[in-house]
Each structure stands twice: as structure tokens, then as C-alpha cells.
Amino acid sequence: RWSGLTAVGRSIRRAFGYEGAEEQSRQSLYPSSAIRHEDAELDPTRRQAIISRARDQKRNSNLASWALRKHLDYVAEFEFQVKTGLKSLDQQIERWWQRWSDPENCDVTARFDFRDLVRQLEAARTLDGDVGLLFLRDGRLQPIEGDRIRTVIGDVPGYPGVRWSHGVHTDDFGRPLRYAIYRRWQPSDLSPGNWGWTFERVVSAADMHLHAYWPRVDSNRGVSPLTPAINDLIDLGEAKSYALAKMKVAQLFGLALYRGGSEALGPATVAEDDADALKVDFSRGPYQLDLDAGDKAEILESSSPSDQFQSWFTQVTASALKALDIPYSFYAENFTNFSGQRQAWLQYNHSARVKRRSVTRLLDKVAAWRLTMAIAAGELPEFDVMSKPWLWIPTGVPWIDPLAEVQATTAALQAQITSRTRVVAAQGEDWDEIVADLARENAALQAAGLNTAIAYQPPNKDPRAVPPPQQTADPNA
């Protein structure tokens, strides 16, 4: 057992920096005083434990799977818009990109279109800490899950004497040069020496992008942001199961019957022909109990789950969601009012914008690589790819209160503290496309002899207010 009472036990506990890799009974009770490389805080065995436990929560915890989906909705959804300055060229590039985004053209497994592939990559980065995206020579993409980038004990085949850290070979400054890729074992592969993993190949860092959540600047591998919440999620799942079991037990013992005097219930005192009258099958009800004088019946009730349990469950749920910066009001929509929900959304959207930056870097790298190949193959006319004449517009979120939002936006535009382009981009739309749509609609209305004006009447401050009665003139005045 892991002892916390001896110096040896304390030093062992301090040896591992991530408690999410440990069972509850093996969590450290003492802060570590050692300062080490971040990759040394999470050795390969415990890295694999964190990945396994995070994936298990995604499979079995509706809270974890919902939080992951909500995270992807805000962080991994983008629209591709080209802005070369030539409308015809923009449309040509966007049409080509849409064709390439089909599963059979962009994904080596032909399972996901490009938008779904981006969601899969971000999900893998969130659960595993990092994921590799390999750029193939035929113009397709191959995701490499984080647990496949690894260094098995000993030299990597074909690279004797090369120092690897978690499957990464770096230069003296920490820049990655190559990655060691393994494939998971199959029954025919299992043999002493490879521990269930078979070496596949080494890929150059120039051919693979490691999409990661970096815990520190000197890290070679990413760490899942869910790591601090893993034990909380496990606790919530266990507590939910225990509370449900307690509630079921409480329901089994639902009715208590009493008799007055010295007469007691039981086989020794109740006649056989009267025994059935004391048995109530709730599944066959409803029942009307006809009791003798002095008899009494009570329904047994249990305050399960208790108010203290519910409060604890709420607090731990909110704490677990904070691992992904998700407000508790997203999970319980009736938790707060409009102002509180909007404030929570503004703060969360800011944190999502920070995460989206690394996703857009990956998207820019893919776009530059693939569009360059398309130009070289004569599929597209030449344009300056290095200037990145495109935008990745995050999918917008509908307004919480559309009328209030429109009024506030109109006031901001009148005060010239924002622009139509930015307002529309926040909704995931393209201002140029809206202008083109409006021009086409107005032209069609004018051709039909219809009015193109849209009248807008601001509502009263309180639409339920009754207007005051009109004052009539006093004829004697």
C-alpha cells in the first residue's frame, strides 16, 4: 500500500504530479517540492492511465460527454470564407474546397468530411491532451491519436542512440524533429518485448502537426484539460449510483401497518386466512385499506437524496465543468436569469476564443498545404497562398433575447463603436454575402413593383402597460 506515514511513502506520493492518473486512495496528500521537466511529471504509464480514464468518462458519463460536445460546438465549428478581392476567384476556391472537404477526398479513412474531422481532432486533443494530423502526399489527411505517439523501452527501430521523450525527438532547443508512431497490438503481434505495441514508422515534424493543449512552454506533449476533473467526474458517477440505490431501497419499504393493543403482526399471531389482508402489492393498486379500530397505516418517506447531497452534487458538477470553462448555467438552464446567463456566455465565449486560436492555426496550415497542391496540379489558378487570403468564421450562437440584442446592436452601430461586418461575423455569417442577398432581393421586389422598405417600430418599454385615458377638455375652463 501507498503509505503517507513514512518518509519513503511521502516521497513516492510526491513523485507523480498529476492526480488524475491515480486512483482516489493513491492521491497525493502532500505538495511536491520538486521542479522538473513537465514531461517527467507524467511518465508514459501514467499518461496512458489519464487517456484511458478520460476516454472512459466520455463513454459512460453523460455529464462528460455533454461537456465535450458543448466544447466542440464553440471551439471546433468554422465556416471557410475566401477574400482574395476577386469575387469570381473567391467563389472558385470555395467551390473547390467544398468538393475536397468530402470524406473520400480529405480523410484517409473516408469516414469524415473536413468539418467533422476538425471536431474529431479537437475531441481527441481534449481527451488525450494531443493528437497528430499527418499530411499525406496524395492530398488526404490521417489523424494519429495521442496514445500511438510513444517511445517503447529501448531504441526506436532504425534510430539507434536517438533520445526520445514520449515519442518525440527534438533538437537542443526543444523543437520537434520527428515522431515515433506505433500501432496498437493485435493478437498476432503480442510477444515479449513490445508490450502490446508494434512499431509502425517515424514521421518528420514537417509532415505532421501536433494539435495539443500545452501545459508548459517546455513540454513535448500535451495534457488533457480534463485531467483535474477526472476524479470529480468519477465521484459524481459513483455518488449518483449510490443515491439511486438508496432511493430504490426506500421505495421497497413503502407502507407500515400497526395494530392497537398487544396484538402484533406476524405469522405467530395472524391467522392464515387474514394474512393476505395485510399484504399490499403497490404494482396492482390503487388500494383502499379497511382497518380495524386501533389499527394504523403510514407511508414511509425518505429525504433521499438529501438537500446536503444535492448541494454537494451541484457544487462538484460546477467544479468539473470548470475544467472546460463551461458555466454551470449552461448545464442547468434555469439556474440563473437572463442577465446572469448572458454574463456567463460572454465570459465563456472569451475563453473559447482563446482555444479557437490554436484550432485556426491548424486550419490555416491545412488550407495553405492543400491549396498549394491544388495550384501545382492545375486545379486552381495561381494566387498568393502565403498571404492567407481567407477567414475561418466561428459558427455563431443565436441571440438569447433577439429583440434586446437588435436594439443594443443598433445603438452600437449608431454610436460607431462597431461595424456591421463584426456584428454579422459574431453570428457566423458573411457581411458580403448578406449584401449580395439584399441586392438580389431588392432587385426582385422592384421588378415586381413591390416596396423594398422595411418599417421598424420600436416597442413600448412595457408592452403590457395600459395607455393612460385621454383627458377631455373642460368646457367650463
Side-chain angles (χ1 to χ4, degrees), residues 115-274:
R115 292 186 63 165
D116 288 340
L117 187 60
V118 173
R119 285 182 67 95
Q120 291 289 334
L121 292 171
E122 179 59 26
R125 175 174 79 145
T126 305
L127 290 173
D128 302 349
D130 55 26
V131 60
L133 185 62
L134 190 59
F135 303 98
L136 303 180
R137 294 181 180 179
D138 63 0
R140 293 182 297 172
L141 299 168
Q142 180 183 0
I144 304 292
E145 291 188 338
D147 61 315
R148 294 183 57 197
I149 306 171
R150 58 190 296 118
T151 304
V152 179
I153 297 175
D155 289 332
V156 172
Y159 294 85
V162 175
R163 294 182 300 174
W164 299 84
S165 175
H166 295 272
V168 185
H169 175 214
T170 66
D171 60 16
D172 294 337
F173 298 99
R175 181 169 184 168
L177 301 176
R178 51 184 65 92
Y179 300 94
I181 310 299
Y182 286 75
R183 63 185 176 92
R184 301 179 186 91
W185 69 274
Q186 298 182 13
S188 60
D189 300 328
L190 188 58
S191 61
N194 66 11
W195 290 275
W197 292 88
T198 302
F199 172 75
E200 182 176 300
R201 54 181 161 166
V202 170
V203 300
S204 171
D207 297 327
M208 191 177 83
H209 178 87
L210 190 65
H211 188 48
Y213 279 106
W214 305 105
R216 276 166 50 186
V217 295
D218 64 348
S219 303
N220 292 324
R221 296 295 302 275
V223 176
S224 169
L226 286 174
T227 301
I230 289 177
N231 289 326
D232 282 346
L233 291 170
I234 294 174
D235 286 340
L236 288 170
E238 292 179 348
K240 179 181 176 182
S241 299
Y242 296 153
L244 181 60
K246 184 179 179 181
M247 291 174 62
K248 289 182 177 179
V249 170
Q251 297 304 313
L252 292 177
F253 303 95
L255 180 65
L257 294 172
Y258 302 87
R259 280 190 177 177
S262 60
E263 198 173 2
L265 292 180
T269 60
V270 179
E272 292 185 1
D273 56 348
D274 293 335

Side-chain angles (χ1 to χ4, degrees), residues 41-103:
E41 298 284 355
L42 196 64
D43 64 21
T45 300
R46 284 163 180 79
R47 172 179 291 278
Q48 185 170 338
I50 284 183
I51 293 175
S52 176
R53 301 181 84 195
R55 292 179 181 177
D56 185 66
Q57 289 304 304
K58 188 253 185 181
R59 296 186 191 103
N60 300 303
S61 169
N62 56 1
L63 175 63
S65 58
W66 170 85
L68 179 62
R69 291 192 302 271
K70 186 59 59 178
H71 168 81
L72 298 178
D73 291 343
Y74 277 85
V75 175
E77 287 288 337
F78 294 88
E79 294 286 347
F80 181 64
Q81 297 179 3
V82 183
K83 302 291 183 182
T84 63
L86 299 175
K87 186 175 181 180
S88 60
L89 179 58
D90 294 347
Q91 295 175 345
Q92 184 178 359
I93 297 172
E94 290 178 358
R95 285 194 299 268
W96 181 93
W97 185 265
Q98 185 175 6
R99 290 194 302 270
W100 177 78
S101 296
D102 292 337

